[in-house]
Amino acid sequence: MCDHGHGHGGGGCASEITEVLHADEGIEYNLDSMIDKEKVQVLNESVEGHGVRVFKPFRERLDKTFYVESDVDEELLFNIPFTGHVKITGITLIGDMDESFPSRIRIFKDREQMSFSDVEGAKPDQEMQLKMDDAGKIDYPLIVTKFGDVHHLTLYFPSNFGNDTTKIYYIGLRGQFNHSFRERIAIATYEARPMPDDHKHSIPETNHSHVC
């Protein structure tokens, strides 16, 4: 695990950053279509409903018409449900090249409806220092063994580079679809279905011989 101090220099988790060299590679950031956007919850957003708009197709990442900005302080918290189970392999962010850019992210898997008090006392599944990026060119890889099967993701941005509020234009998630909840239920139902061989010894014998 990386050093999660508050310094913003080199080393620590920042050393895990890899550059996205070609815009075409952005097609990997396709999990926005798997987000259940009607159920996304964003805490401390200054304008209600703006937070969910930062999850959009990668080709629209540079459109800064809509953005989310924190309200009373620099903290932002996203509760993100998916329409099925997904494997998440990386994340990228776009903001302004100034002190409003988030400086740190704490990520939680499958813990629904988290509040600020919840995240403050919980150990994240991954935590990283961030660098300013206004084009989505920095890729932050996630720990594959922890995010291989996810149905809910919580992103907590506890701080920025010094501004009173935090502003984000785009959050991209890369990975792949695993299966839908309906497919999962079908599989579980099939596995739980009793098979004839399991009960052949419990079926009563219907042919009886009687001696008079």
Side-chain angles (χ1 to χ4, degrees):
M1 188 64 67
C2 299
D3 179 10
H4 304 308
H6 292 275
H8 305 303
C13 290
S15 63
E16 297 181 2
I17 297 172
T18 57
E19 293 290 337
V20 176
L21 300 178
H22 305 287
D24 291 344
E25 295 181 16
I27 196 170
E28 295 180 358
Y29 295 93
N30 59 352
L31 291 185
D32 64 284
S33 63
M34 293 301 303
I35 296 174
D36 191 345
K37 295 183 179 178
E38 293 184 358
K39 297 180 180 178
V40 170
Q41 181 186 48
V42 184
L43 304 185
N44 198 38
E45 59 181 350
S46 59
V47 180
E48 185 176 355
H50 274 203
V52 68
R53 293 176 179 261
V54 304
F55 300 101
K56 53 191 174 183
F58 187 78
R59 65 181 180 275
E60 300 175 12
R61 69 194 184 284
L62 299 180
D63 182 354
K64 296 187 176 182
T65 304
F66 294 100
Y67 57 87
V68 61
E69 186 170 10
S70 61
D71 189 11
V72 299
D73 55 25
E74 72 276 18
E75 294 181 86
L76 277 172
L77 178 63
F78 295 80
N79 282 307
I80 309 162
F82 295 95
T83 57
H85 286 245
V86 297
K87 175 182 180 180
I88 307 174
T89 55
I91 185 172
T92 189
L93 296 94
I94 292 179
D96 290 323
M97 300 293 284
D98 60 24
E99 294 181 344
S100 68
F101 198 96
S103 61
R104 191 158 53 100
I105 182 173
R106 305 180 75 206
I107 307 174
F108 302 85
K109 168 192 172 182
D110 295 342
R111 284 181 256 187
E112 301 181 15
Q113 301 297 316
M114 295 190 80
S115 65
F116 285 113
S117 59
D118 292 328
V119 295
E120 288 173 1
K123 180 180 179 180
D125 292 287
Q126 189 166 350
E127 183 173 5
M128 296 178 288
Q129 303 287 353
L130 303 175
K131 289 186 176 181
M132 296 181 191
D133 181 5
D134 62 354
K137 289 192 174 294
I138 300 177
D139 179 81
Y140 301 89
L142 299 192
I143 301 171
V144 177
T145 55
K146 290 190 175 182
F147 298 95
D149 189 19
V150 181
H151 68 79
H152 186 281
L153 195 70
T154 299
L155 304 179
Y156 172 45
F157 299 93
S159 60
N160 57 29
F161 285 90
N163 202 34
D164 291 337
T165 59
T166 296
K167 184 185 293 185
I168 300 173
Y169 292 98
Y170 171 76
I171 298 177
L173 299 172
R174 65 175 168 89
Q176 64 188 44
F177 170 75
N178 285 346
H179 52 77
S180 69
F181 292 120
R182 181 168 296 179
E183 289 172 336
R184 184 82 170 217
I185 293 172
I187 293 171
T189 301
Y190 175 80
E191 292 177 345
R193 183 183 303 165
M195 303 301 289
D197 287 346
D198 295 336
H199 301 279
K200 64 182 180 181
H201 298 298
S202 62
I203 299 176
E205 183 65 45
T206 55
N207 295 323
H208 299 280
S209 297
H210 299 279
V211 178
C212 296

